[in-house]
Amino acid sequence: MPYIQQEKLHAIKETILQRKEKLAENKRLDLATSHNIYTELTTFRLDLLTTYAGSLLMEKEAANEVMEQWGNNMANLLVNNGLPLNLALEEISYYRDVIGEIIKEEAKNNDFSLDAFYQIISHFNSIVDNAIQFVSKSYVKDYTEKINYAQYAIDELSVPVVRMTEDIGILPLVGDLDTKRAQYLMESALEKGSQYKLEWLIIDLSAVPIIDTMVADQIFKVIGALRLLGIQVVLSGIRAEIAQTMVNLGLDLADITTFSSLHQAVEYVNQAD
């Protein structure tokens, strides 16, 4: 930007920085009566105003980098505190109007040309638009990662290996087994079986409503992998329909010990152990 333009932008920047505490406090008081948690965001507002002010003097590429960093930090704050995205978007828009008024005020007081005013306000609007874009993209990314992590934790807990004795563990399966849960089944069985140094693992299917090709194949893979670790596997909860399904799928149960109830499986393993 021309030198004269830089001088005008510097004056606007200084005005914003001088007023930022008051502007942030005004917004805090405005929201305090409607939503108490919003009053905790004073630091965010000060950072936003400081970032806006500094970006006015930067070229577009540099301003974008600064706003992207701010957007990432803001999205992280929102997600970690369980706050909605629209909170940030509302504040971003609010300060667009506030700073727009400051630019207009400075333009009047310093006799900006129409071209200079238009160039400055266009540059600022571009900064604000990028702030909205960056915080929105980063929020979706962070939120998705958090949801995926929570889902991972839920799935991990849904296939727990319970240690019954020093040598015997039970893996009770509940509900439908989709591809993802079947993978956790494999991981949990191998990890805990090795960690606990088990000699026996009972996989109980009593609460699994349906055994299809994918589930049956995964169970057999788990059994094979556990045997390589020296862990003997017993299947319990094998109802008539499950047995029939496995036979229809062409699965050989001849070398696998199975029982209709968990109680029978526990008795068998205790005697064998």
Side-chain angles (χ1 to χ4, degrees):
M1 290 184 185
Y3 176 73
I4 185 65
Q5 190 85 327
Q6 285 288 325
E7 283 189 337
K8 294 174 180 177
L9 290 172
H10 185 75
I12 295 171
K13 173 187 174 182
E14 290 303 312
T15 301
I16 295 170
L17 294 177
Q18 289 169 9
R19 299 183 186 178
K20 66 177 184 179
E21 283 82 6
K22 183 178 181 180
L23 294 174
E25 178 63 11
N26 287 344
K27 187 61 173 173
R28 185 190 73 81
L29 294 174
D30 179 49
L31 291 172
T33 56
S34 60
H35 205 312
N36 290 335
I37 197 165
Y38 290 2
T39 65
E40 301 171 8
L41 299 176
T42 297
T43 300
F44 148 68
R45 296 185 182 106
L46 293 174
D47 287 344
L48 176 59
L49 288 164
T50 302
T51 304
Y52 274 165
S55 297
L56 284 171
L57 279 79
M58 299 177 183
E59 296 298 331
K60 184 176 181 179
E61 185 175 338
N64 283 346
E65 291 179 1
V66 171
M67 292 313 303
E68 183 172 14
Q69 183 60 52
W70 174 85
N72 291 339
N73 293 338
M74 185 59 211
N76 187 257
L77 182 151
L78 292 174
V79 171
N80 288 340
N81 288 277
L83 298 174
L85 175 60
N86 68 290
L87 168 61
L89 299 182
E90 193 277 334
E91 300 248 352
I92 290 171
S93 297
Y94 171 79
Y95 287 115
R96 182 203 294 266
D97 296 338
V98 169
I99 293 178
E101 286 297 319
I102 292 176
I103 294 173
K104 183 172 73 173
E105 178 185 312
E106 289 294 318
K108 287 181 178 179
N109 293 340
N110 295 280
D111 296 323
F112 286 10
S113 68
L114 183 60
D115 286 344
F117 174 73
Y118 178 79
Q119 187 176 356
I120 293 170
I121 204 71
S122 295
H123 180 56
F124 175 64
N125 279 329
S126 175
I127 292 170
V128 176
D129 290 340
N130 284 328
I132 293 173
Q133 178 185 355
F134 290 134
V135 76
S136 298
K137 287 173 61 177
S138 187
Y139 181 90
V140 171
K141 176 177 175 290
D142 290 351
Y143 187 79
T144 301
E145 288 178 354
K146 188 171 184 178
I147 291 296
N148 288 340
Y149 180 80
Q151 186 60 53
Y152 178 87
I154 291 170
D155 289 336
E156 192 175 42
L157 289 172
S158 70
V159 285
V161 173
V162 181
R163 197 172 188 176
M164 192 171 73
T165 68
E166 285 292 320
D167 304 324
I168 303 171
I170 300 175
L171 178 54
L173 300 177
V174 179
D176 295 331
L177 282 175
D178 56 16
T179 303
K180 185 180 291 186
R181 284 196 69 208
Q183 181 60 37
Y184 286 123
L185 164 63
M186 170 75 83
E187 294 174 0
S188 180
L190 295 179
E191 179 186 349
K192 297 301 182 182
S194 178
Q195 178 185 336
Y196 295 155
K197 296 181 172 58
L198 298 177
E199 294 183 10
W200 293 87
L201 180 65
I202 301 171
I203 299 178
D204 183 55
L205 305 174
S206 301
V208 177
I210 299 175
I211 297 289
D212 58 17
T213 305
M214 183 278 296
V215 173
D217 180 63
Q218 193 67 42
I219 290 173
F220 274 72
K221 285 181 179 178
V222 171
I223 292 172
L226 288 168
R227 283 176 171 174
L228 290 176
L229 295 177
I231 301 173
Q232 297 299 310
V233 180
V234 173
L235 294 181
S236 66
I238 304 297
R239 305 184 300 278
E241 62 270 25
I242 290 181
Q244 184 175 0
T245 299
M246 288 184 168
V247 171
N248 291 339
L249 292 172
L251 300 174
D252 185 7
L253 299 176
D255 61 343
I256 299 176
T257 305
T258 64
F259 294 94
S260 60
S261 72
L262 178 59
H263 174 71
Q264 292 172 325
V266 170
E267 276 192 345
Y268 170 81
V269 171
N270 280 327
Q271 292 172 3
D273 191 48

